[in-house]
Amino acid sequence: MSPQIPKTQKAAVVVGHDLPIQVRNDYPVKQPEELAPGECLVKLHCTGVCHTDLHARKGDWPLPCKIPLVGGHEGVGDIVAIGAHTVDSPVKIGERVGIKWLVDSCLQCEQCRKGLEQCCSKAKLSGYTVDGTFSEYVVSYVNHVTPIPESLNSQEAASFLCAGVTVYRALKYSNTKPGDWIVLPGAGGGLGHLAVQYAAHAFGLRVVAVDTGAEKKELVLKLGAEKWIDFRETKDLVKDIQAATGGEGSHAALVAAASSAAYEQAIEYLRPGGSLMVVGLPADTQLNASIFWTVVKAINIIGSYVGNRQDAREALEIAALGKVKCHLAIQPLSALSDVYEGMEEGKIVGRVVLNM
Ligand code: NAD
Ligand code: ZN
């Protein structure tokens, strides 16, 4: 017998970019008989809070989002219904799955065929162009939900659906090899602290962590970073990075901070042939790179946007092996506004996961 689906639910709703978030109990739940073929309804256990949700809440990106909006894109829950006439569903009712930023894509266009599903022109983005996971139930799509490995509980798994898959893919395409140095600005945040672990324990890289504060320092050194630089205290970031990497600078940098300052000196501290992985998305900014030094040092500048279905599975498999763990604090959905405040002030160490 299928479980009873309520008509309304608790959800945290952005009603306007300058208005407080409303945590309401009367947000509609799409009913099983209303689901289109390919859609599924997921009853959420929990969801991570990503800095991207704060960008959506503030509306500070050039890409418009829907309003009213239920944010959130690091959800884990159980499938409770699948749309009638869905053909060949890869998942079934009762299965525990993850909801990532990319909730659906056409799977037919050139980008989808090449595995760049996140760049599909028909992509649906969780908690941005469609309602996301800051709610008890969410509508998702059978072809894009990610099965969750049994050995991870839902809270442990949640942040791999965005933070984990994003940094995993960026490292995969960073042109590095084991033993290389990588600089990770934003290392103590949600993406950054997972990047430290994937870099050190899955890719065999040597990590220079850049962030601020004693708590983040302690965490990233414990997670596998070899060197630490506090961006607020350093007098000369480039010199400090050169000194940390034996004089020559790093082979790669993966910027996981929502700050343009974190990008500023990357071309200077990368060694020739190095790669800058552009991941953090500060609002409305340009990447200012010296053309001369980018050419003469043969630097690669590479944008990296979340990951595809396969990247998500790989990122979770490595987590299931226990090689990468999310450092998280669990809070209720009603704490979302406070979480955003803490995030804005750079006070969140690792991730906050909201229980439903
Ligand atoms: P977060 O707030 O958890 O972490 C950001 C960290 O950056 C904080 O620890 C902060 O102290 C640190 N920081 C700030 N300024 C810095 C500086 N100048 N140098 C070094 N560190 C600095 O954020 P998050 O959830 O990890 O997200 C980070 C960014 O990545 C956001 O802009 C988010 O939108 C973006 N993002 C991008 C993708 C993608 O696909 N490219 C996916 C997810 C998130
Ligand atoms: Zn995210």
Side-chain angles (χ1 to χ4, degrees):
M1 220 181 76
S2 57
Q4 202 61 41
I5 310 295
K7 297 269 189 270
T8 58
Q9 61 174 330
K10 187 162 66 178
V13 190
V14 178
V15 290
H17 295 301
D18 301 319
L19 297 170
I21 286 179
Q22 294 181 0
V23 179
R24 293 164 36 180
N25 285 313
D26 62 349
Y27 205 75
V29 180
K30 194 165 184 181
Q31 296 297 298
E33 61 278 13
E34 297 167 341
L35 295 172
E39 289 184 349
C40 58
L41 187 67
V42 176
K43 184 174 194 310
L44 290 158
H45 303 160
C46 62
T47 177
V49 184
C50 176
H51 206 115
T52 290
D53 300 313
L54 175 56
H55 293 296
R57 190 257 170 287
K58 296 202 290 192
D60 66 10
W61 280 351
L63 180 69
C65 66
K66 83 179 267 288
I67 292 283
L69 173 73
V70 176
H73 57 275
E74 288 187 347
V76 178
D78 299 321
I79 297 182
V80 291
I82 292 178
H85 310 298
T86 297
V87 181
D88 289 338
S89 174
V91 286
K92 51 187 188 311
I93 290 177
E95 198 165 332
R96 188 169 63 131
V97 294
I99 317 291
K100 53 189 172 50
W101 172 250
L102 181 66
V103 279
D104 196 30
S105 72
C106 78
L107 301 179
Q108 303 302 333
C109 70
E110 178 184 337
Q111 303 305 338
C112 283
R113 289 196 308 267
K114 285 179 170 167
L116 208 56
E117 297 155 1
Q118 56 278 47
C119 294
C120 171
S121 63
K122 293 185 182 152
K124 293 188 176 80
L125 309 177
S126 178
Y128 206 87
T129 61
V130 297
D131 280 343
T133 56
F134 296 152
S135 54
E136 291 172 285
Y137 291 84
V138 68
V139 174
S140 199
Y141 297 82
V142 294
N143 283 323
H144 266 280
V145 289
T146 310
I148 303 295
E150 255 180 44
S151 64
L152 295 173
N153 71 36
S154 299
Q155 288 75 12
E156 287 167 341
S159 292
F160 289 91
L161 275 315
C162 179
V165 62
T166 298
V167 298
Y168 171 72
R169 182 179 169 99
L171 287 164
K172 210 161 120 174
Y173 288 88
S174 66
N175 299 306
T176 48
K177 53 181 185 2
D180 282 355
W181 282 103
I182 188 161
V183 173
L184 298 175
L191 269 64
H193 88 289
L194 297 179
V196 170
Q197 300 171 71
Y198 278 112
H201 308 314
F203 290 88
L205 302 177
R206 304 180 71 183
V207 174
V208 180
V210 184
D211 209 311
T212 191
E215 211 181 331
K216 289 180 187 169
K217 176 182 179 183
E218 192 188 328
L219 177 70
V220 300
L221 291 175
K222 193 178 85 189
L223 296 179
E226 260 179 74
K227 309 275 173 149
W228 161 261
I229 298 170
D230 191 313
F231 72 87
R232 290 222 170 99
E233 286 173 6
T234 175
K235 303 237 171 350
D236 189 334
L237 184 70
V238 176
K239 269 204 184 126
D240 286 354
I241 289 173
Q242 285 166 341
T245 55
E248 291 207 54
S250 65
H251 300 85
L254 187 172
V255 178
S259 146
S260 56
Y263 282 96
E264 270 165 18
Q265 289 160 303
I267 305 298
E268 283 180 69
Y269 64 64
L270 284 168
R271 72 176 63 185
S275 298
L276 169 60
M277 302 310 293
V278 181
V279 173
L281 283 160
D284 210 12
T285 39
Q286 307 295 314
L287 193 61
N288 273 323
S290 153
I291 293 174
F292 183 81
W293 290 116
T294 302
V295 172
V296 170
K297 289 175 76 177
I299 298 291
N300 306 292
I301 300 180
I302 304 168
S304 192
Y305 182 32
V306 290
N308 60 25
R309 291 168 297 164
Q310 181 63 19
D311 296 320
R313 284 175 185 243
E314 290 172 12
L316 273 161
E317 272 167 29
I318 293 168
L321 292 172
K323 293 193 180 193
V324 180
K325 290 195 170 84
C326 186
H327 177 84
L328 59 98
I330 296 177
Q331 296 201 22
L333 181 63
S334 55
L336 184 58
S337 294
D338 296 338
V339 176
Y340 283 155
E341 224 170 273
M343 198 172 252
E344 191 102 68
E345 293 166 7
K347 285 189 183 147
I348 293 179
V349 181
R351 247 316 179 240
V352 171
V353 172
L354 305 175
N355 264 349
M356 290 311 141

